[in-house]
Each structure stands twice: as C-alpha cells, then as structure tokens.
Amino acid sequence: MAAPTEIQVMSSAAIKASYLEIVPQFERASGHKVTTRWIPGVDLFKRVMEGETSDLVIMQAGDIDKLIAAGRIKTGSRADLAKSSVGVAVRAGAPRPDISTADALKRALLAAKGVAYSTGPSGVYILELFERLGIAVALQGKTRQVKGEPAGAPVARGEAEIAFQQVSELLPVPGIDFIGKLPADIQKITIFSAGMQANAREPDAARTLIDFIQSPAAA
C-alpha cells in the first residue's frame, strides 16, 4: 500500500450525501486524507478549464469528456460513479401536486407560485423541459435558479412551491417532501464520473479512492 498522503478533490454536489458517508470509510481503510472542494458544476467546469488543479474532478460525465478533449483530464481516467434522475419536491407538509404525467406536471407548474431549479445539469434540462412543454413564457417571473445551496432550500423556507434537482441532492434537504421523479417520458438521467487531472500530484492515491467508491462495499 502506498504511503498515506492527501488527495485533493473538486466535486459538484450531486453525489455529496453518499460521498460524505463513503470517504471517511476510505480514509480509515487507506490512511489517506481526502480534502474536497464543493463547487457548482458550471463553475467547476470553468475553473478546471482555466487551470485550477486538484487530483480528482467529479462532475457530470459529459463535462469530464470535454475536459479530457481539452487536455485537462487524463485520457482513459474517466470512471463512472453514479446515475441520477431528476426529482421533484415541495415544502414539508404542503399539498403534493400530481406529477405522474407530463400534462399533470405542466398543470402543477402553471398553478405554482414559485419554481426553483439548480445551476447544474438538472437545471439546464429543466429549462429545456419548460420550452418543450410550451410553458417557458408563462413561467417567466416565477422561476428561480438556485446557486450555492440545494434547490430544495428555498422551498423549505417557503420562497418557492416546487423544486427540481437531482434526486440525490433533494433527499438530504430538511424541510421538504420528496414527491417523486419526473415521469419516464420526460426524465433525464445524468451520469456522474470522476476524472484524474492531467497534472494530479497524487495519481496513485487518487486511483485508490476511485476504486473504493466503485467497490461493492460502497455501492
């Protein structure tokens, strides 16, 4: 086993809840220390493209591929960690709108006083979905893009009625009720992956972290 060292990670928040359970187990088993910077996906991509360094980057697979093409992430280092669906939440105890079909979701959105969504891949998709459902113009003035906290947080405070985000990011938020995933015909599945930075200082230790996260024990 390699001598204990510090592994630097830059990650979007999509896998945060599970990651925070898994990493302490890895640290105890390996002796390595993991230092993680949590950065919204859009900002993370920009910062890595501009040369900010770490050992590992964790974000949506499509952006990892772009960073590989740009020479920022090592070719062949992409490791898929999780698949995530887009979910819907309301304030704890609030009436639960019908989201079982695209038409039902459309009615719920038009009736809502405020809608929150993230800056990450789910947020990008939600804006596309509003256009696809033909309600983008009708929702103007009552949608809110949330940065720096989960999309469910303003819903918990009563500042919006409905939140959209990756299921993994909604579930840990206090004060909200997760009411389900988007219907299958309008769902968007995102793969989140790790990639080794081209100038990683601790590539071998970082590889052991990836292997641990992908292990059956961590699943």
Side-chain angles (χ1 to χ4, degrees), residues 12-15 84 118 122 150 165-173 192:
S12 64
I15 68 166
S84 184
S118 78
S122 63
Q165 199 163 13
Q166 304 294 336
V167 173
S168 58
E169 293 180 79
L170 288 175
L171 291 177
V173 179
F192 288 91

Side-chain angles (χ1 to χ4, degrees), residues 45 49 61-76:
F45 180 81
M49 281 293 288
D63 284 344
I64 292 288
D65 289 343
K66 291 175 185 177
L67 291 168
I68 290 172
R72 297 299 187 184
I73 298 292
K74 289 183 180 178
T75 300

Side-chain angles (χ1 to χ4, degrees), residues 3-205:
T5 188
E6 181 180 15
I7 304 167
Q8 297 280 343
V9 180
M10 299 167 68
S11 180
S12 64
I15 68 166
K16 187 173 183 178
S18 298
Y19 179 96
L20 291 177
E21 290 189 26
I22 293 170
V23 166
Q25 299 174 35
F26 168 78
E27 290 178 324
R28 289 192 295 271
S30 68
H32 297 310
K33 175 179 172 55
V34 181
T35 300
T36 306
R37 284 169 280 168
W38 298 103
I39 304 166
V42 174
D43 293 340
L44 177 54
F45 180 81
K46 182 173 182 285
R47 285 163 65 166
V48 176
M49 281 293 288
E50 291 176 349
E52 189 165 341
T53 60
S54 63
D55 296 307
L56 284 180
V57 176
I58 301 174
M59 62 194 312
Q60 65 167 319
D63 284 344
I64 292 288
D65 289 343
K66 291 175 185 177
L67 291 168
I68 290 172
R72 297 299 187 184
I73 298 292
K74 289 183 180 178
T75 300
S77 73
R78 172 181 152 181
D80 296 342
L81 305 180
K83 293 181 180 179
S84 184
S85 305
V86 179
V88 188
V90 296
R91 192 175 188 181
R96 298 183 173 215
D98 181 5
I99 62 166
S100 61
T101 66
D103 284 342
L105 178 67
K106 180 176 178 179
R107 290 191 295 270
L109 287 167
L110 292 173
K113 294 179 181 177
V115 178
Y117 60 95
S118 78
T119 60
S122 63
V124 173
Y125 174 67
I126 284 300
L127 291 180
E128 295 172 359
L129 181 60
F130 292 166
E131 292 283 356
R132 179 174 157 190
L133 294 176
I135 57 175
V137 174
L139 294 182
Q140 286 179 359
K142 64 177 184 178
T143 57
R144 172 178 176 178
Q145 189 176 51
V146 182
K147 187 175 182 179
E149 62 179 353
V155 170
R157 296 192 295 266
E159 297 167 7
E161 287 187 11
I162 299 177
F164 294 92
Q165 199 163 13
Q166 304 294 336
V167 173
S168 58
E169 293 180 79
L170 288 175
L171 291 177
V173 179
I176 64 172
D177 287 337
F178 173 71
I179 61 173
K181 301 176 182 179
L182 290 178
D185 61 329
I186 55 170
Q187 179 59 263
K188 172 74 171 181
I189 303 296
T190 302
I191 297 173
F192 288 91
S193 307
M196 195 90 64
Q197 283 207 254
N199 53 0
R201 294 173 299 175
E202 302 291 346
D204 293 338

